[in-house]
Amino acid sequence: MSTALLFGFPQKYVGKAKSITARESGRFGGWDIKYLTANGGVTGPTKKDLDRIPTFAEQHQDLHIIGFSQEKNRSELANQIAPYFRFRWFDYGLIGSLTSPDPSAFVEELADILAEEAEWALRVKPPNIESPLLLPQCAFKCDKRNAELWRHALAYGDIENIIGAEKAVEAFRSSHHRKVIVQNSSKYKWVDEVDRIFDDNGARHGQAQYPRNWKYSYRIEMGFHYDVTNANGQRFAIIDFENRSHSVNRGAHANIDPHGYVRG
């Protein structure tokens, strides 16, 4: 079962929300709805509330986070969640309907969001380690037509965004999943525009710590990373998540995880 975490949900509305969502459970497609209330102010979550997400992540395999905030400058908070979990904001103004005789505005919005999230999980979310979305955007140099792959995966609010993201995944695969020679055998691997091979079948080691063991609500298997080589055995460089360049000697390889952390 997929879990929707209502992040920063105002405490005073939790009782009403639980009662109404239980009564209208058939509208939510089997989602398990959880609440993480704002610990600091009354207008939304703070950075401290981010530290409470791991508890939910540990308990659930498919966690989608829906944020509730009245703060104007909330993008920094979103940026600390979206690389790891599917994240979107809820229209905060609709919460008030929970205490009115007709809470349908809240129910309709939540039902629409969860229906869209179910489609995203089915059509866009990485189903396994073979998804191109797990490739580190900072390091993989793709052609211009496919450069927006990761942005498409983050978009929400319209079913067309899901259709676009699904098409972007397939177009990326067509362009960059190529047959190459690896260890004297022909295999399909991710190959970027400067002939670097991103091999996802290397030995599993160096387990990433939370939250780097998640990407787009996909829990990354222990020790997963890419072994990056040059197709021609030449010296090359690779850029990490901090935009630092790492040189790799001729015939050698680099280890990089889905978030762009280069391992020694």
Side-chain angles (χ1 to χ4, degrees):
M1 178 182 290
S2 297
T3 301
L5 178 62
L6 308 193
F7 178 63
F9 200 85
Q11 180 66 53
K12 66 178 180 179
Y13 292 108
V14 170
K16 284 284 187 180
K18 286 184 175 181
S19 175
I20 290 168
T21 54
R23 187 175 71 230
E24 300 284 346
S25 60
R27 299 288 308 279
F28 305 121
W31 283 82
D32 182 19
I33 301 172
K34 300 294 185 182
Y35 299 82
L36 197 166
T37 58
N39 202 25
V42 295
T43 59
T46 65
K47 290 181 180 179
K48 290 184 178 180
D49 291 314
L50 293 173
D51 295 334
R52 301 163 64 200
I53 293 177
T55 300
F56 293 89
E58 183 64 29
Q59 297 170 353
H60 303 282
Q61 284 294 325
D62 184 19
L63 183 67
H64 296 227
I65 300 178
I66 302 171
F68 291 77
S69 177
Q70 287 181 300
E71 298 293 335
K72 293 182 179 179
N73 299 319
R74 57 188 189 178
S75 60
E76 184 179 349
L77 197 66
N79 290 340
Q80 294 184 62
I81 301 174
Y84 311 105
F85 301 100
R86 171 69 168 171
F87 179 81
R88 61 191 296 158
W89 292 109
F90 192 95
D91 183 347
Y92 200 93
L94 298 179
I95 297 178
S97 71
L98 287 170
T99 56
S100 73
D102 179 14
S104 60
F106 176 86
V107 172
E108 292 291 339
E109 178 72 359
L110 185 58
D112 286 348
I113 285 174
L114 295 183
E116 183 184 325
E117 290 303 294
E119 283 295 303
W120 181 89
L122 179 66
R123 301 165 65 174
V124 181
K125 177 188 170 182
N128 50 51
I129 60 172
E130 297 177 2
S131 171
L133 289 172
L134 294 186
L135 288 163
Q137 183 179 4
C138 60
F140 193 95
K141 184 175 178 58
C142 57
D143 60 78
K144 291 181 179 180
R145 294 171 300 171
N146 293 291
E148 298 298 309
L149 170 71
W150 297 273
R151 181 186 64 80
H152 282 299
L154 295 173
Y156 63 85
D158 191 320
I159 190 65
E160 292 298 323
N161 290 325
I162 294 174
I163 294 171
E166 185 178 38
K167 290 180 178 178
V169 168
E170 291 310 309
F172 192 100
R173 187 180 302 278
S174 296
S175 295
H176 289 290
H177 206 224
R178 306 171 189 169
K179 187 176 288 188
V180 295
I181 302 298
V182 177
Q183 297 179 347
N184 299 318
S185 63
S186 179
K187 298 178 182 178
Y188 276 93
K189 298 294 178 185
W190 298 112
V191 184
D192 71 4
E193 289 293 280
V194 289
D195 293 326
R196 294 176 304 185
I197 301 170
F198 286 67
D199 187 352
D200 57 13
N201 286 329
R204 302 297 191 250
H205 57 79
Q207 168 69 348
Q209 298 300 308
Y210 176 91
R212 285 168 41 215
N213 60 334
W214 288 87
K215 192 172 186 181
Y216 300 132
S217 288
Y218 175 76
R219 190 195 294 268
I220 300 168
E221 65 183 68
M222 185 176 295
F224 174 75
H225 63 274
Y226 297 94
D227 287 345
V228 186
T229 57
N230 180 273
N232 302 307
Q234 301 298 312
R235 181 184 179 89
F236 66 94
I238 193 165
I239 302 297
D240 70 10
F241 75 106
E242 291 183 319
N243 202 36
R244 296 177 302 184
S245 180
H246 299 257
S247 295
V248 183
N249 292 329
R250 180 191 297 268
H253 73 274
N255 294 335
I256 190 168
D257 76 5
H259 292 287
Y261 287 74
V262 174
R263 301 171 180 173

